[in-house]
Amino acid sequence: MNTSMVAIALEGGRLNALLIAALEHRLCDLLRAGPSTVGELAAKAGISPRGCQAVADGMVGMRLWSVADGRYQNSKMAEKLLCSDSPDFVGAEHVFLFRHWTRIFLDIGKYVASGKPPYAIDSPQTLEFWSQLTPAIAKNGRPVVAEAIRRFGLDTGAVALLDVGGGGSCLYGAALLAANPRATATQADWPHINAAARAVVDAQGDGARFATIDGDFHDTDFGAAAFDAVVISNIVHQESPDQNLALFRRVRRALKDGGRIILVDWFVEDGRTGPPPSLYFNLTMLLLTEEGKSYEKAEIGRLLQEAGFVDVTFDRTPAFETFSSARAGRR
């Protein structure tokens, strides 16, 4: 880490706090009407001029606002990410996530020393966290889904797809059915989540080609030789090596010979040298899971081979995650 990265890391809490203040008071939304002075902006937001000036200085410092002749305006980045009418708006989840992490980071040394998360994986705090984060994952994951469908040839032919833990947004199932009129999709998840997924698929008119498997994916039977492809997105990092091996073996059973498993996750290079987002993500796993982690590629490859897969590959996605793909070897 170079000196500039240390400086950014040390300023991280303050920079986050500035963003939260701007989001809570909808300051970027208010600037959409045109450049404003601090006094004008404070009056519109119903906040103190002194507080507004503190936020304005920080936003200029982060190059999210510009100022000329005492009048402030949004940058293009602020318009894209910090205005509530933008499809890329991050404020819906970031305010909650900031407060959640701030409470935990106060005692970060304790959790690093123990190697255990602050809350049980099924605690109200953890479940509330995922209820806020999951929609953000779905929103940001759409480009990755589109690339997976294209890259792995799922957009042609009578493809039968299984999505393990696909979530209420049904990202992979809904996108596949929209892209390929001959495809079918099945989602394995909890009953109430599958019900939400069903509503998404029905709304786009593809319900006849969609099925669900209700239950906990840790022990659900996915069937035998029923699918051409199985997607497991943002699941592997939550599980222990033994749990992943057991999951991969049930997926292998569910795939036809030569069928493809597709993993989307925050994998790190062997030797844990990068990429930086996946390395940072390992702290998230320490704080949210009992045994999860950012897995090295070699370990994932070994687990897949032990489960009966061949031809393991890794490729970058359009986002921070990595694709891993393998073929089901002959039984």
Side-chain angles (χ1 to χ4, degrees):
M1 179 181 286
N2 59 33
T3 303
S4 63
M5 281 298 293
V6 172
I8 292 171
L10 291 173
E11 287 287 354
R14 183 156 38 194
L15 299 182
N16 260 283
L18 284 166
L19 284 175
I20 296 306
L23 288 167
E24 281 197 334
H25 294 293
R26 300 180 57 250
L27 298 183
C28 294
D29 282 348
L30 294 173
L31 285 179
R32 291 294 293 273
S36 298
T37 67
V38 160
E40 292 167 344
L41 190 58
K44 292 176 184 176
I47 60 178
S48 71
R50 183 169 184 250
C52 190
Q53 186 68 69
V55 175
D57 287 347
M59 296 295 278
V60 171
M62 289 190 285
R63 304 296 187 264
L64 292 171
W65 291 357
S66 62
V67 59
D69 298 324
R71 305 186 75 81
Y72 293 83
Q73 64 181 8
N74 289 324
S75 68
K76 290 183 179 179
M77 185 63 70
E79 295 274 343
K80 177 180 173 66
L81 298 178
L82 303 179
C83 291
S84 60
D85 60 352
S86 167
D88 299 307
F89 179 57
V90 300
E93 68 274 4
H94 192 72
V95 174
F96 168 84
L97 295 176
F98 173 78
R99 288 195 163 84
H100 176 89
W101 287 123
T102 298
R103 291 193 297 269
I104 292 175
F105 288 160
L106 291 173
D107 291 315
I108 187 64
K110 178 172 68 176
Y111 307 127
V112 169
S114 69
K116 297 296 182 182
Y119 309 116
I121 195 168
D122 58 352
S123 68
Q125 294 91 337
T126 301
L127 294 176
E128 183 185 18
F129 174 84
W130 284 116
S131 73
Q132 296 289 326
L133 184 61
T134 299
I137 293 174
K139 178 178 69 175
N140 297 329
R142 297 186 191 283
V144 177
V145 174
E147 176 62 16
I149 290 172
R150 184 200 65 80
R151 183 177 302 191
F152 298 112
L154 304 180
D155 51 354
T156 59
V159 175
L161 174 75
L162 171 66
D163 185 0
V164 177
S169 299
C170 193
L171 279 184
Y172 282 87
L176 174 67
L177 296 177
N180 182 349
R182 297 179 60 196
T184 58
T186 301
Q187 178 167 296
D189 215 319
W190 293 105
H192 68 286
I193 294 176
N194 280 340
R198 163 66 67 185
V200 170
V201 175
D202 285 346
Q204 72 180 35
D206 293 317
R209 294 182 289 133
F210 182 68
T212 58
I213 300 173
D214 292 343
D216 184 345
F217 68 77
H218 291 96
D219 51 29
T220 300
D221 182 2
F222 302 140
F227 300 100
D228 300 293
V230 176
V231 171
I232 306 175
S233 178
N234 285 298
I235 295 292
V236 168
H237 58 248
Q238 302 178 40
E239 309 298 310
S240 70
D242 286 344
Q243 288 172 322
N244 279 320
L245 178 58
L247 175 59
F248 294 165
R249 282 174 169 160
R250 283 185 293 115
V251 167
R252 170 63 193 91
R253 179 173 177 271
L255 279 167
K256 303 170 185 176
D257 287 348
R260 186 184 295 277
I261 186 173
I262 302 166
L263 309 179
V264 185
D265 220 287
W266 298 73
F267 301 127
V268 298
E269 300 294 338
D270 299 337
R272 310 194 74 82
T273 57
S278 294
L279 294 173
Y280 305 151
F281 187 73
N282 204 34
L283 179 64
T284 304
M285 290 300 94
L286 169 68
L287 298 174
L288 285 179
T289 71
E290 291 288 341
E291 298 182 81
K293 60 181 178 179
S294 298
Y295 278 84
E296 292 184 45
K297 293 178 178 179
E299 185 171 11
I300 290 299
R302 177 182 60 77
L303 291 171
L304 287 169
Q305 289 168 356
E306 191 172 342
F309 290 93
V310 297
D311 302 329
V312 180
T313 64
F314 293 90
D315 295 288
R316 293 304 304 271
T317 73
F320 293 124
E321 300 101 322
T322 298
F323 289 128
S324 178
S325 173
R327 293 283 187 183
R330 293 195 174 276
R331 292 175 175 82

